[in-house]
Amino acid sequence: MYSIFLVDDEEIELEMMRDIIRWEEMGIYVAGTAINGKDALEKIQTIQPDIVLTDVQMPIMNGIELAKQVTEQFDWMKIVFLTGHDEFTYVKSALNVGAVGYLLKPLDLEEIASVMTRVKEKCEEVRLKNRSIQVTKSNILKELIYEKNEDRKSNLMESFERLERRSYQADYTVVLVSIDDHVEEREMFIEDAMNQIRTFMGHYFLSCQLSWNDVSLREGEMLILMDSHPRVMQRLFWVELAQAVKQALPFMVTLAVTEQVGPLTQVHALYDQARKVLSELFYKGYGKVIFAQDMRMNMDSDQLPPFAENELLEAVQQMEEERVVWLLQEYCTRLVTLRVRKKYIHDWALDLVGRIQEQLRSNPSDTHTAETRANVYHAIYDCQTIHEIEEAVSQILRHMMESMKDRFTDKNLKLVHQVSSIIQQTYHEQITITSLSSQVYLSPNYLRSIFKEKTGVTIHDYLTRIRLEKAKQMLSDPSLKVQDIAQKVGYESTSYFISLFLKHQGVTPNEYRKNL
């Protein structure tokens, strides 16, 4: 539809035009009204309708003067005059100031429909022209962002400024808009969402009487180039815009505001700054307005703080879901504070899940708890924020615990799990069948029987497997001697440890260490 603004100093006639004429049937809606030219000009500057229908003779500012000022400011706006039969000299003046038509009083509905048909055709021509200009400017701007050849950049800037129709060199600021939602059929969603956000922001900036250009960049990202208007440089403007988007559109967006200005020659540097600001989304989460001056750009860290992995493993084995979630939340909060780089956090999460899975595999009652590595990889590396990584790891561990719970419905299997957990926690101590059986209140022979039945291995073989796995981990530390490692994993005799290691691994501990 097209918008029309009505101006007439006769209030009764103004109300009749607004309420009786069936504008909607003509594909037009009334955007506002005024009773004189001065009042009309102020409202038109804000509303910026497609069409102005104004009386010619009015107090304070007549229709001819109104048309001149409107045409000077908005040469695309279409003016139609209302005039009486005895005012034909005014009609000539009206046509001289760019009016596209006139209507004689008293108004005839058929004549109105006929004139508006012609006016709408003119409006559509303007829309098509503006759309073509906007697309051209968008393409030029996209090239400018990436172009390195200075001669080519100079030509592109000249073309852009010519389309802007400016008599001066403007300063600009850059904002990146990122569509946050992750949904199935993402490509179709993103295309539709980009159109919605472009339309919404266009209306919003227009209502604020601000000039802007936009260009689609990566999938789900749009760059907005705006004049460095004082209002645009206020944080409140962008906060209010984000709130308006949240209320009006069915998806979230993140705004990365550079808070810097520069001429068109610096658009590449402004874009690079905006990209750095947008990277803060990883720590802050979706749906935020991120300002450049709030970022701690120099605090990025490559060092991961220590994590209570053994405590997490114990919580998983004991199926304490709340404790698992708390441990992950606490650690991720530390990672945000330290601004550990995204890559290192992704790698940490993947390795953590892998090690937990490996530990559970060493528990023979849990041989089916592990997610496939490919599923885990995608679940973690598809995450765009640290909070998503935290939730992905929590969800994977929940699946493991659920799988364990399902199998622990067998009473004997629960007992086997309890014994295997004791072995994993006390492998470095002197462990006997008698000491284990007393802790689970079973006879030694019965414990031997159900452990072999449920796991397929003897308790002695399982204990040996755990001790040797721990020994292999310790051999990566060159400061530890073989005899020290033997004692740390529960063997008093170093020679027995070496012979056992050779039997199961095919090499001695020292040979194994050399191959690491």
Side-chain angles (χ1 to χ4, degrees), residues 52 299 419 465 490:
V52 175
M299 291 191 65
V419 170
R465 181 197 305 175

Side-chain angles (χ1 to χ4, degrees), residues 433-496:
I433 297 295
T434 301
S435 67
L436 290 173
S437 62
S438 66
Q439 293 183 66
V440 294
Y441 307 104
L442 295 175
S443 70
N445 287 336
Y446 185 63
L447 177 58
R448 285 193 190 94
S449 174
I450 64 169
F451 196 94
K452 180 67 182 294
E453 176 190 343
K454 296 299 180 183
T455 68
V457 296
T458 66
I459 291 177
H460 179 268
D461 288 343
Y462 179 66
L463 174 60
T464 300
R465 181 197 305 175
I466 294 298
R467 284 175 166 174
L468 293 182
E469 285 298 320
K470 298 296 182 182
K472 286 160 61 177
Q473 294 174 19
M474 295 179 190
L475 284 167
S476 62
D477 183 353
S479 67
L480 291 176
K481 297 179 180 179
V482 172
Q483 54 265 39
D484 295 333
I485 294 173
Q487 290 184 359
K488 284 179 177 292
V489 297
Y491 295 110
E492 293 294 334
S493 170
T494 303
S495 59
Y496 178 70

Side-chain angles (χ1 to χ4, degrees), residues 3 5-7 34 36-55 58 61-81 94 97-100 165:
S3 56
F5 192 92
L6 308 176
V7 191
N36 62 67
K38 184 176 181 297
D39 180 38
L41 182 60
E42 293 175 355
K43 292 180 178 178
I44 288 168
Q45 288 171 334
T46 300
I47 297 172
Q48 298 191 23
D50 298 302
I51 308 163
V52 175
L53 176 58
T54 180
D55 195 5
M58 294 182 296
M61 180 189 290
N62 65 31
I64 303 298
E65 183 59 30
L66 172 63
K68 286 181 180 178
Q69 295 202 34
V70 167
T71 303
E72 286 175 1
Q73 296 181 47
F74 311 103
D75 58 1
W76 47 267
M77 211 173 284
K78 302 307 172 188
I79 311 293
V80 179
F81 281 97
V97 296
V100 295
R165 293 185 292 182

